[in-house]
Amino acid sequence: MVMASYEHLFNKLEDQFLLTKEQMAPIIKGFISEYQSGLKTPSTGIASMIPSYVTSLPTGNETGTFLSLDLGGTNLRVNAVQLLGDGQVNMVENKRLATVELKSGSGDAFFDWIADTIQELITVKAPHLFKPEQVNGQETLSLGVCWSFPIDQTTLDRGTVLRMGKGFTMPNVQGRDLSDMFHEAFKRKNLNVRVGALLNDTVGTLVAHAYSNPRSRIGFIYATGCNAAYPEKVSNIGKWDETQRSRFNPNDEMLINTEIDIFGDDTYLPRTKYDHQLDKNHSQPDFQPWEKMMSGAYLGELTRLVAMDFIQQGALFDGVVPAGWDTPWSFQTAMMSSIERDNTASRDESVKILESVYSFATRPSKDDIQAITRICRIVATRGAIMVAVAIASMIEKQKLHIVDSNEIVIGMNGSTYEYYPYMDVRVKKALRTWFGSEVSDRILLEIARDGGSIGGALIAMLAAAE
C-alpha cells in the first residue's frame, strides 16, 4: 500500500476531527449556555453545576495537620496531611482494600473499619505529624472526605447518601447522613475526629493546586472520564432559593462541580459518524456525548472504528480485517499512547502491540503503522481540542481573559492528560487557536495531584478556619 494513494481519506478525517476556530465557537457558546442552565436547575438525579459549599481557596501559607479520606470503588486512602506553608506539604497515607465482605456487610461494620484505618494512621503510622494532644485524643482532628459516590449535599459537611453502586450493597446506609455515620463510628472507637467537609474530587483538585499556586481558577480532570470545577458567584446560583443564598454574601465565590462530563448535544457538538456509531453501541446511548468524543474511555474505540473504515476501503492491512479487530473496545487508549510514543525506525514496537491483540493475515507493514499512527494522532488531537474548548468556556465564563493581564492557572489532573504523548502540547495549541497568542501565553496548564488527599485536608482546614 502506498499511503499517498489514500491521502484523500486522511484529509477527509482531518476535516471532521481537527476543528477550526470557527468550528470551536458554537461548542464554547454551548458550554457557557449549559453552565447558565445548570446554575438554575435543581441538583436532583443527574445534575450539573453542583454547589460545593466551599467559598474560599487557600493562599498557600496555611499550616497545621489535617486528615483526608478518599474512598473510590476499590481502595480506601486515609492521609495525614501536614501543611507547612509556602505551598509545601508532608503526607503519610494509610491505604486499605475494600473487600467484597465489607461492601456487602453492615454499614456499622464498614464505618468501624474506616475508623480503625484512621486510628492506625494517627497512632501508628504518622504520630510524628500530629501534636501530642491530637494523638491522645484531647484535641479534635478535622477530616475532609472525598466520597466518590452520589450524595445529596446540603451543607459543606452534611449530605444524604444516595445509591452507591460499584459493588457496595450495604443495608441501612442509603438515605442516611454521611457525617452522622462517620461520627457514630468515631464515637464507638473513642476517636476524636470530626468531618469538616465533604468534597468532590474535581473541587479537591482545584483546592489542592491553589495551595501550591494561589492563582489557580480551574481544576480539570482528564482521565478515563472528565470533569471540572471553577469558582462562581453565589448570586449566580439560581437553583437556590433566597433562604439558601442568604447564608452567604452575594459576592462570595463558591466552587462549583460542573459535572461537565454530561454536557453536549447535537445542536452544537460536531459529532461524526464514528461518534454516532460508538454512542449507538454503548450501554448508555445519548448520555455524555461530549465525553464520548474525547475521554480516555473512548479514544481507543473511536480509533478502532476509524481504522475499520480505512481497512474496508483498502487503506490499511491490504483491506483485510485482522481477526479480533471487529471486537468492540478491543483497541485501548493505552495502545494509542504506546503507538504514538514509538519512535523506533522499524516501528517494531507498534507491530508487537498490535500483534498482541489481533491476528493478521500478513505482518503489518511500515506503511500500515504510519497510517494507524496518523489515525491515532488525529483522534487524540480532537480530544485535546475538546479539552481546550471546555477550558476556554470556563475562562470566558469567569472573564479571566479580559479582567486583567495576570497568569490564568489551570490545575490539570488525570492519566490521559499526564501520560498520553503530546497531549499537553495539543491542548495548548488549541487554546492558542481560540484565544490567540497574547492570551494563550498567559494560560498555564500545571499538573495538579492529590485532589482527594491534599484537597480534602485543605477544605477541612478552610472549614475549620471559618
Side-chain angles (χ1 to χ4, degrees):
M1 180 198 65
V2 180
M3 278 189 68
S5 305
Y6 299 99
E7 187 63 24
H8 65 287
L9 294 179
F10 287 105
N11 290 338
K12 183 180 178 182
L13 187 67
E14 288 177 349
D15 286 343
Q16 294 176 82
F17 276 72
L18 305 186
L19 306 182
T20 63
K21 181 177 181 179
E22 291 68 31
Q23 291 170 312
M24 293 165 73
I27 310 175
I28 293 170
K29 183 179 178 182
F31 271 40
I32 293 173
S33 177
E34 295 222 33
Y35 297 142
Q36 306 284 27
S37 175
L39 285 168
K40 297 174 185 175
T41 306
S43 298
T44 57
I46 298 171
S48 67
M49 307 302 288
I50 301 170
S52 69
Y53 297 89
V54 178
T55 54
S56 57
L57 285 167
T59 64
N61 296 320
E62 294 83 357
T63 58
T65 302
F66 299 85
L67 293 168
S68 65
L69 181 152
D70 189 355
L71 179 70
T74 305
N75 293 309
L76 168 70
R77 284 185 287 270
V78 178
N79 288 274
V81 181
Q82 185 182 39
L83 307 174
L84 302 173
D86 198 27
Q88 301 300 308
V89 300
N90 276 336
M91 187 167 66
V92 175
E93 179 179 88
N94 198 13
K95 180 178 177 181
R96 288 190 177 181
L97 177 70
T99 64
V100 173
E101 291 76 19
L102 280 166
K103 289 181 177 184
S104 58
S106 74
D108 283 356
F110 182 75
F111 284 93
D112 282 350
W113 169 72
I114 292 177
D116 287 338
T117 307
I118 293 173
Q119 193 161 43
E120 181 183 47
L121 177 71
I122 296 168
T123 60
V124 178
K125 291 201 167 185
H128 58 288
L129 296 187
F130 299 96
K131 293 185 289 185
E133 52 268 39
Q134 291 173 324
V135 176
N136 64 28
Q138 291 177 314
E139 183 178 317
T140 304
L141 275 164
S142 188
L143 170 69
V145 176
C146 185
W147 189 258
S148 300
F149 303 91
I151 57 172
D152 180 15
Q153 193 165 349
T154 52
T155 64
L156 179 60
D157 61 350
R158 300 192 75 82
T160 303
V161 177
L162 305 177
R163 185 175 178 180
M164 291 181 67
K166 300 182 184 178
F168 285 84
T169 58
M170 297 173 293
N172 305 319
V173 168
Q174 185 174 333
R176 293 200 59 202
D177 185 87
L178 180 58
S179 291
D180 283 348
M181 290 186 283
F182 273 111
H183 294 148
E184 288 165 10
F186 296 156
K187 187 175 181 180
R188 287 192 294 269
K189 296 293 180 176
N190 197 28
L191 195 58
N192 193 1
V193 174
R194 185 146 196 91
V195 175
L198 307 177
L199 66 142
N200 164 271
D201 57 353
T202 310
V203 170
T205 294
L206 175 52
V207 172
H209 198 61
Y211 189 64
S212 60
N213 189 335
R215 293 207 61 83
S216 302
R217 295 292 293 182
I218 295 170
F220 199 100
I221 294 177
Y222 184 29
T224 304
C226 297
N227 200 7
Y230 76 94
E232 181 63 78
K233 279 193 175 181
V234 169
S235 58
N236 291 336
I237 305 177
K239 65 178 70 187
W240 278 356
D241 60 27
E242 194 55 43
T243 302
Q244 289 173 299
R245 276 198 299 275
S246 66
R247 293 157 53 192
F248 303 93
N249 185 312
N251 291 320
D252 280 350
E253 288 188 323
M254 180 173 290
L255 304 193
I256 298 291
N257 165 23
T258 64
E259 290 293 343
I260 203 172
D261 55 304
I262 66 174
F263 282 22
D265 61 51
D266 285 331
T267 63
Y268 66 81
L269 287 180
R271 292 202 288 174
T272 67
K273 68 177 184 179
Y274 308 110
D275 298 306
H276 287 292
Q277 193 176 346
L278 182 152
D279 186 47
K280 182 181 177 182
N281 295 321
H282 192 269
S283 60
Q284 292 181 292
D286 301 318
F287 183 57
Q288 298 177 307
W290 169 74
E291 185 173 280
K292 286 175 180 164
M293 298 174 74
M294 49 77 75
S295 82
Y298 303 107
L299 292 177
E301 176 65 1
L302 286 168
T303 298
R304 186 191 70 84
L305 292 170
V306 173
M308 178 67 85
D309 205 4
F310 275 53
I311 295 167
Q312 291 169 343
Q313 296 182 70
L316 257 179
F317 311 135
D318 296 323
V320 179
V321 178
W325 200 280
D326 55 355
T327 302
W329 310 102
S330 60
F331 196 93
Q332 299 291 314
T333 301
M335 294 166 63
M336 294 174 65
S337 179
S338 296
I339 288 169
E340 277 216 63
R341 196 177 279 111
D342 181 10
N343 293 319
T344 59
S346 64
R347 306 303 300 277
D348 278 347
E349 287 302 312
S350 296
V351 173
K352 288 177 185 176
I353 290 165
L354 293 176
E355 288 184 331
S356 70
V357 179
Y358 307 107
S359 297
F360 295 84
T362 57
R363 195 170 194 263
S365 67
K366 192 170 182 178
D367 276 348
D368 287 327
I369 298 302
Q370 288 176 337
I372 199 72
T373 303
R374 189 169 175 184
I375 293 170
C376 290
R377 186 180 304 127
I378 292 168
V379 172
T381 298
R382 187 187 66 168
I385 294 170
M386 288 296 165
V387 171
V389 295
I391 291 172
S393 68
M394 281 179 279
I395 289 174
E396 296 205 353
K397 181 70 173 66
Q398 300 177 74
K399 296 183 170 57
L400 301 178
H401 59 311
I402 57 176
V403 292
D404 56 41
S405 58
N406 291 319
E407 294 172 337
I408 301 168
V409 180
I410 321 294
M412 301 292 297
N413 176 267
S415 54
T416 306
Y417 180 77
E418 291 187 52
Y419 303 122
Y420 195 102
Y422 319 114
M423 188 59 76
D424 55 343
V425 175
R426 291 167 182 170
V427 173
K428 188 73 174 175
K429 182 179 179 182
L431 287 168
R432 188 176 298 112
T433 297
W434 177 252
F435 284 114
S437 59
E438 186 176 344
V439 171
S440 69
D441 286 350
R442 293 196 282 122
I443 300 173
L444 303 184
L445 303 175
E446 299 181 341
I447 297 298
R449 294 195 175 92
D450 302 313
S453 51
I454 295 175
L458 281 162
I459 292 174
M461 178 276 302
L462 292 169
E466 289 182 355

